[in-house]
Amino acid sequence: MNEEKQSASMPTTYDPKAAEQKWYSYWVEGGYFEAGKRTDAEPYTIVIPPPNVTGMLHIGHALDFTLQDILIRTKRMQGFDTLWLPGTDHAGIATQTKVEQKLREEGLSRYDLGREKFLEKVWEWKGLYADTIRSQWSKMGLSLDYSRERFTLDEGLSKAVREVFVSLYKKGLIYRGKKIINWDPAARTALSDIEVEYKEVQGKLYHLQYPLKDGSGTITVATTRPETMLGDTAVAVHPEDERYKHLIGKMLVLPVIGREIPVIADEYVEKDFGSGAVKITPAHDPNDFEVGARHNLPQIIVMDETGTMNDEAGPYKGLDRMDCRKQLVKDLQEQGVCINIEEHIHQVGHSERSGAVIEPYLSTQWFVAMKPLAEKAIEIQKSGDGVRFVPDRFEKIYLNWIENVRDWCVSRQLWWGHRIPAWYCEECGELHVAHDTVEACSKCGSANLRQDEDVLDTWFSSGLWPFSTLGWPDQTADLQRYYPTSVLVTGYDIIYFWVARMIFTALEFTDKNPFADVLMHGLVRDANGQKMSKSLGNGVDPLEVIEKYGADAMRFMISTGSTPGQDLRFNWDKVEQARNFANKIWNASRFALMNLEGVTAEDIDLTVELGTADRWILHRLNETVREVTRLIDSYEFGETGRVLYNFIWDDLCDWYIEFAKLGLYGENEQTKRATQSVLAYVLDRTQRLIHPFMPFISEEIWQHLPHEGETITLAQWPVYDEALEAPQSAKEMELLMDIIRAVRNIRAEVNVPMSKKIELLVKPSNEAALAILVKNEEYISRFCGTSSLEISVAITAPEKAMSAIVTGVELYLPLAGLIDISQEIIRLEKELKTLNSEVERVEKKLANEGFVAKAPAQVIEEERAKMQDYVEKRDKVLARISELRG
């Protein structure tokens, strides 16, 4: 056999970089990822959660995308017409913030450039980072259909956005109104509720006394934001609070400002909380806004869009809100108005993007009326016809949010994004909402119209992603074939931001769920379980992992280390283990190829006479195929990895390949051909099973193996084959492996290397075991390293021998001066102690009436069988100890 030639065709070590570059180019250029080539096949669709064009992809993206790729590659091999649609999100505020930061470094602001020039800069940024993301996708080995790549500001998607906005407006579900919204004073834009991160902050609670105008006393109120008192227009008390009933309707004098404000009665106030009196600031607090609306109170805004105090703040005009707070509190203390300041831990809203403290702010914005949209989604979900959440506990989280949803503020005071399709007539003030630019006012005929300056919340457009990317509102061929999509894979942290919005929007505009399943995965944390962040410096760059260990190692570690809905800890040692696993597969395949020279796919024949090990490995492969398929369909990627690892590392590499050497190196040509067929077949199927997880190394190996077809990406997924079931061979193999392990353990105990031949006596307990052992004695002799082997039910235990007992068989290794008798007795006594513990444990279990009453009959029988086995082994150990002491 020309091993040198085979060795040259498959290098000694696997080079991930060379394989990754070669095969990804081959796949893309061959169009193997493109949908639509299997017109008769069932479609299977995933739209990628579009990453923001704000920078590089992180390790969380790597997890999300790898899980999707596993599903797509598996379904493609199963014969589905698979579409994995790639794309990126313009990410409104996030991207604009990045570009503005870059401009600041140059001493510029967006206002210096103007809207048009600024947007040119953002488009340049988008081009750069979209290319970067595409490059990262390729390095991860993602099988995306690039011919259908989309961007949320594409003309087609912009058309969908305008269609949805205009339609909702005409239905009365989008409106413009003046409300308290979350205002980001750093980015100078409104935010929706879910773009606000609440952090626990050590603050202060300020107790203030407001004097009654008639001089008859004061009312005490408390606030964490004293600067807002400058906009107070009332103090409210509960209508049934006896302490304040006589004061309702009286006037107070607002300290510093001197404005007169009334005492009002409203059931919003909790009379048993604090002083029972609450300051009302309608323009700076959402609850106060509602109270103010009920009582027709003035709405006084005391700061501008940057958080700077305005004219209404009197002497504090021009101060930043936080500086105003310090100066105001100092003044109030000097005036005797601030009577107490106590430490106070409370939740403070921060902008998810800029990090600034959010200011509740009265502003005119565009809103989506959510309840009518939510009601439809709730009804369908509760009827059982909704989206299936995996894990199912997330369905409750989704329903809880959507059942308590508030109107969604969708306008943003940004320049980057979908500009709101609304025009105002400068002559008569008429509002026009339309798909296209309005040239003339429908009311007065004027051509002097101005488009709304604001853009839409980025989640408005990404909420349409599952159907807008397929061509909606046009009834395209792709929309009709690939929608609804099959599964959405995403992190649990955006269930409100994105998942819920996609569902209710899809139901409103397509009357269909946007996807059948939604698989929620967790966050990727560091090895200590901490959330990754720039400030902690514990983030992981997936490209760094790929550079060091290869894409396959990263993919296998990150996907098989995850459980649906649970966070994952990233561990470099586990990536190294995955790399070692890849090397194990490579080395096993390389050995096999050295022994498959000249074998073609047509030569593989499993109908010939096969040995025990051959039938066993085919049986184990068959079990693995069935289990891996079931687990992937159940999204149990961690368990899938365990099953694949155990089969490949233990069964195939550590056992079968060693057993196969007997057939490959023997004189019997028929046995050799049978072994080659089994080896080639099992390795081929193994590469197919591992391919969705480790696409590059599996393609590289598969191309060297006897195969048919252009690429493993299109190879048929292995299917369970009843003809390969061989439970008897599996039973026989388990016995042989137990014997080999036991003998090797004895060798290790007495430090006898495998190179030193031994005498071995094997005593089966019955004729059935004898037949198995005789049939497979070549395996026993070869892998136990015997100089002589005797197998008989009539064997008498030698006086001086090492011994071991496996189920149904006694093993004896004559000492012949190799060991100390006393040490062997000590070893057997330890074994006896272990067996006594097992017997006692099972006895207690079977004596437990609760266990016997509740456990299935099969489980009870299994425990009784264990008991019998332990007792038999114990009796034999006792007998052996007695013999040695003899």
Side-chain angles (χ1 to χ4, degrees):
M1 182 174 295
N2 188 349
E3 292 191 2
E4 187 178 344
K5 180 182 175 185
Q6 289 290 338
S7 205
S9 67
M10 192 167 172
T12 307
T13 56
Y14 174 58
D15 181 356
K17 288 181 186 175
E20 288 162 13
Q21 187 173 0
K22 173 175 67 176
W23 291 119
Y24 201 77
S25 298
Y26 177 75
W27 292 331
V28 173
E29 289 166 11
Y32 300 127
F33 302 157
E34 291 179 16
K37 296 180 178 180
R38 296 170 172 171
T39 54
D40 296 332
E42 182 181 344
Y44 184 91
T45 314
I46 299 177
V47 289
I48 201 168
N52 297 341
V53 287
T54 48
M56 311 284 276
L57 300 180
H58 53 67
I59 199 70
H61 289 115
L63 169 63
D64 190 62
F65 299 157
T66 300
L67 297 183
Q68 293 168 67
D69 198 31
I70 290 168
L71 292 170
I72 282 290
R73 286 184 182 270
T74 302
K75 294 299 178 183
R76 186 183 293 118
M77 294 173 77
Q78 288 175 338
F80 286 81
D81 177 14
T82 54
L83 168 59
W84 188 15
L85 190 148
T88 46
D89 196 329
H90 68 280
I93 187 172
T95 305
Q96 178 159 321
T97 300
K98 290 277 188 182
V99 177
E100 287 196 85
Q101 285 173 354
K102 190 168 179 287
L103 285 175
R104 275 198 294 275
E105 292 168 8
E106 301 169 15
L108 297 170
S109 76
R110 60 169 155 147
Y111 302 104
D112 294 326
L113 296 182
R115 187 168 194 144
E116 190 176 326
K117 291 289 185 185
F118 175 75
L119 289 178
E120 287 177 11
K121 292 284 187 186
V122 190
W123 276 107
E124 286 174 15
W125 174 283
K126 179 266 175 187
L128 173 66
Y129 281 98
D131 287 346
T132 301
I133 288 167
R134 205 174 292 114
S135 170
Q136 290 177 296
W137 283 340
S138 70
K139 285 179 166 50
M140 293 179 195
L142 306 184
S143 58
L144 295 155
D145 184 349
Y146 291 103
S147 70
R148 289 172 166 85
E149 185 176 354
R150 305 307 299 267
F151 177 56
T152 47
L153 283 175
D154 282 351
E155 178 49 42
L157 275 69
S158 297
K159 179 180 178 181
V161 167
R162 291 192 299 272
E163 175 64 31
V164 168
F165 189 94
V166 173
S167 175
L168 290 177
Y169 178 78
K170 287 180 178 177
K171 292 177 183 178
L173 297 177
I174 278 187
Y175 62 93
R176 193 165 183 258
K178 198 172 187 182
K179 288 188 177 186
I180 293 282
I181 47 89
N182 303 298
W183 185 261
D184 180 339
R188 288 195 255 177
T189 182
L191 300 176
S192 65
D193 291 343
I194 54 179
E195 290 173 301
V196 179
E197 292 179 322
Y198 285 91
K199 300 176 184 178
E200 196 170 80
V201 171
Q202 176 67 59
K204 290 179 168 51
L205 189 63
Y206 303 87
H207 296 267
L208 311 176
Q209 281 188 336
Y210 289 7
L212 285 152
K213 180 186 176 183
D214 62 10
S216 61
T218 61
I219 292 182
T220 301
V221 296
T223 181
T224 58
R225 299 159 63 219
E227 66 279 6
T228 63
M229 70 165 285
L230 303 173
D232 286 357
T233 53
V235 167
V237 297
H238 194 278
E240 296 176 5
D241 192 332
E242 295 298 331
R243 294 171 295 174
Y244 298 115
K245 270 189 175 180
H246 65 292
L247 298 179
I248 295 170
K250 287 197 170 188
M251 302 301 287
L252 297 163
V253 178
L254 187 64
V256 179
I257 299 298
R259 186 170 61 248
E260 294 182 12
I261 59 175
V263 178
I264 62 172
D266 197 284
E267 292 186 351
Y268 158 71
V269 182
E270 296 178 48
K271 61 181 178 180
D272 298 324
F273 183 78
S275 68
V278 178
K279 62 187 281 301
I280 301 298
T281 322
H284 290 278
D285 182 278
N287 295 314
D288 292 3
F289 176 80
E290 299 295 337
V291 173
R294 287 195 289 273
H295 296 270
N296 294 315
L297 296 175
Q299 301 166 335
I300 301 174
I301 301 172
V302 297
M303 62 185 76
D304 66 17
E305 296 174 350
T306 67
T308 301
M309 308 309 290
N310 62 16
D311 290 343
E312 296 288 355
Y316 306 101
K317 177 186 175 182
L319 288 179
D320 173 78
R321 56 185 171 152
M322 297 305 172
D323 294 333
C324 171
R325 178 180 298 179
K326 292 175 188 174
Q327 186 60 49
L328 175 60
V329 168
K330 182 182 177 185
D331 293 346
L332 292 173
Q333 285 177 310
E334 288 176 358
Q335 294 175 22
V337 173
C338 182
I339 58 171
N340 186 30
I341 303 173
E342 58 181 299
E343 294 298 316
H344 180 63
I345 297 174
H346 62 133
Q347 296 286 324
V348 175
H350 291 71
S351 168
E352 183 207 20
R353 295 302 177 187
S354 72
V357 173
I358 289 302
E359 193 64 46
Y361 194 69
L362 183 63
S363 180
T364 300
Q365 302 285 344
W366 288 90
F367 296 88
V368 175
M370 288 297 299
K371 286 205 171 177
L373 296 169
E375 283 166 3
K376 184 187 289 189
I378 293 165
E379 182 184 348
I380 288 175
Q381 196 67 32
K382 288 187 173 180
S383 74
D385 293 328
V387 169
R388 182 171 79 105
F389 284 84
V390 181
D392 59 7
R393 69 177 182 273
F394 287 103
E395 180 179 34
K396 292 179 183 176
I397 296 171
Y398 159 72
L399 280 172
N400 181 60
W401 181 76
I402 206 167
E403 284 172 342
N404 295 285
V405 73
R406 299 198 303 176
D407 285 1
W408 171 19
C409 175
V410 293
S411 46
R412 298 289 179 270
Q413 288 62 56
L414 306 171
W415 290 350
W416 175 244
H418 291 98
R419 196 161 172 183
I420 290 175
W423 287 260
Y424 307 95
C425 178
E426 298 284 47
E427 301 298 329
C428 69
E430 183 73 2
L431 169 64
H432 304 78
V433 172
H435 296 89
D436 302 309
T437 301
V438 179
E439 302 294 345
C441 178
S442 59
K443 185 176 180 181
C444 72
S446 171
N448 187 13
L449 290 109
R450 172 182 56 85
Q451 186 175 356
D452 197 303
E453 293 288 322
D454 292 350
V455 299
L456 287 163
D457 179 4
T458 189
W459 296 102
F460 190 94
S461 53
S462 56
L464 318 180
W465 188 251
F467 52 94
S468 64
T469 51
L470 294 170
W472 187 94
D474 297 333
Q475 291 303 306
T476 63
D478 273 4
L479 184 68
Q480 291 170 11
R481 178 152 178 79
Y482 299 110
Y483 183 82
T485 66
S486 304
V487 60
L488 172 79
V489 181
T490 190
Y492 61 65
D493 54 329
I494 57 172
I495 191 169
Y496 309 139
F497 283 93
W498 194 41
V499 179
R501 285 171 175 169
M502 282 190 287
I503 294 172
F504 69 68
T505 309
L507 290 172
E508 177 68 18
F509 289 96
T510 72
D511 288 321
K512 295 175 183 176
N513 293 311
F515 24 77
D517 294 349
V518 54
L519 170 62
M520 313 297 295
H521 60 74
L523 306 176
V524 182
R525 298 182 178 274
D526 69 12
N528 299 316
Q530 286 187 297
K531 189 173 180 179
M532 292 183 177
S533 69
K534 286 182 181 178
S535 60
L536 292 173
N538 62 348
V540 174
D541 179 356
L543 294 192
E544 181 188 347
V545 184
I546 292 169
E547 178 70 24
K548 193 171 182 181
Y549 292 105
D552 290 325
M554 183 197 71
R555 287 170 60 112
F556 191 79
M557 177 269 161
I558 203 166
S559 60
T560 62
S562 67
T563 302
Q566 299 297 318
D567 289 347
L568 162 74
R569 292 192 180 192
F570 182 88
N571 189 308
W572 283 101
D573 290 341
K574 289 184 179 178
V575 185
E576 189 166 352
Q577 288 171 18
R579 192 267 312 275
N580 294 342
F581 180 46
N583 288 340
K584 184 85 167 180
I585 298 170
W586 180 263
N587 292 334
S589 302
R590 187 170 175 273
F591 160 78
L593 283 160
M594 289 178 180
N595 294 282
L596 291 175
E597 187 176 12
V599 176
T600 66
E602 292 80 10
D603 295 330
I604 297 173
D605 184 2
L606 303 182
T607 64
V608 298
E609 185 177 344
L610 302 174
T612 299
D614 298 326
R615 289 191 297 272
W616 166 75
I617 196 64
L618 291 170
H619 174 85
R620 283 291 299 118
L621 172 67
N622 211 29
E623 288 183 322
T624 303
V625 165
R626 180 170 57 189
E627 192 65 359
V628 165
T629 304
R630 181 187 70 80
L631 289 167
I632 290 177
D633 285 344
S634 303
Y635 307 118
E636 294 285 353
F637 302 109
E639 275 298 290
T640 309
R642 183 188 61 79
V643 170
L644 282 169
Y645 187 94
N646 290 344
F647 171 73
I648 294 171
W649 192 289
D650 297 338
D651 297 341
L652 178 57
C653 297
D654 285 357
W655 285 104
Y656 179 70
I657 284 179
E658 291 303 311
F659 275 60
K661 290 175 182 177
L662 290 179
L664 294 170
Y665 299 158
E667 299 298 324
N668 189 314
E669 191 64 27
Q670 189 176 351
T671 302
K672 178 180 178 180
R673 290 297 177 194
T675 304
Q676 287 177 323
S677 283
V678 172
L679 190 56
Y681 180 87
V682 172
L683 273 173
D684 172 275
R685 268 48 182 185
T686 300
Q687 300 316 311
R688 298 184 198 209
L689 289 175
I690 203 74
H691 176 70
F693 294 84
M694 306 174 98
F696 294 111
I697 194 170
S698 57
E699 180 77 271
E700 182 73 23
I701 293 171
W702 189 82
Q703 291 285 353
H704 283 87
L705 289 170
H707 70 274
E708 294 177 338
E710 298 174 14
T711 170
I712 196 172
T713 62
L714 301 182
Q716 184 183 359
W717 181 256
V719 293
Y720 172 79
D721 184 354
E722 194 171 332
L724 297 181
E725 284 296 299
Q728 181 57 33
S729 295
K731 185 178 178 183
E732 292 176 15
M733 193 67 182
E734 287 299 326
L735 178 57
L736 294 175
M737 291 190 295
D738 284 347
I739 290 170
I740 294 164
R741 286 192 197 99
V743 171
R744 288 179 174 177
N745 287 341
I746 291 174
R747 279 179 170 275
E749 280 185 46
V750 294
N751 199 25
V752 176
M754 283 299 294
S755 58
K756 186 178 180 70
K757 299 297 182 181
I758 61 167
E759 291 180 56
L760 178 61
L761 306 176
V762 181
K763 181 181 181 180
S765 60
N766 54 56
E767 293 297 325
L770 174 65
I772 293 170
L773 298 175
V774 170
K775 183 173 70 172
N776 294 288
E777 65 179 308
E778 187 181 3
Y779 290 134
I780 299 171
S781 178
R782 166 70 177 79
F783 294 105
C784 292
T786 64
S787 57
S788 67
L789 171 64
E790 182 182 351
I791 303 172
S792 171
V793 293
I795 287 174
T796 302
E799 284 191 13
K800 294 182 178 181
M802 292 289 285
S803 64
I805 296 165
V806 298
T807 303
V809 177
E810 297 172 50
L811 305 170
Y812 301 103
L813 282 71
L815 299 176
L818 294 179
I819 67 161
D820 185 325
I821 299 286
S822 61
Q823 288 299 313
E824 173 63 357
I825 291 172
I826 290 170
R827 187 187 72 79
L828 286 169
E829 285 177 338
K830 285 182 181 176
E831 190 174 343
L832 178 64
K833 185 177 179 182
T834 300
L835 288 166
N836 280 331
S837 297
E838 290 300 320
V839 169
E840 184 181 350
R841 181 183 64 79
V842 180
E843 277 180 343
K844 284 182 179 177
K845 205 169 188 180
L846 291 171
N848 184 332
E849 292 180 6
F851 170 74
V852 175
K854 293 178 183 177
Q858 181 186 347
V859 173
I860 295 170
E861 281 306 309
E862 286 172 0
E863 292 298 321
R864 285 177 178 153
K866 284 181 190 175
M867 167 70 84
Q868 185 178 345
D869 188 40
Y870 291 142
V871 169
E872 286 178 6
K873 287 178 179 176
R874 182 179 65 178
D875 290 346
K876 287 172 182 175
V877 169
L878 280 168
R880 186 67 186 135
I881 291 172
S882 178
E883 286 170 12
L884 287 174
R885 284 175 173 163

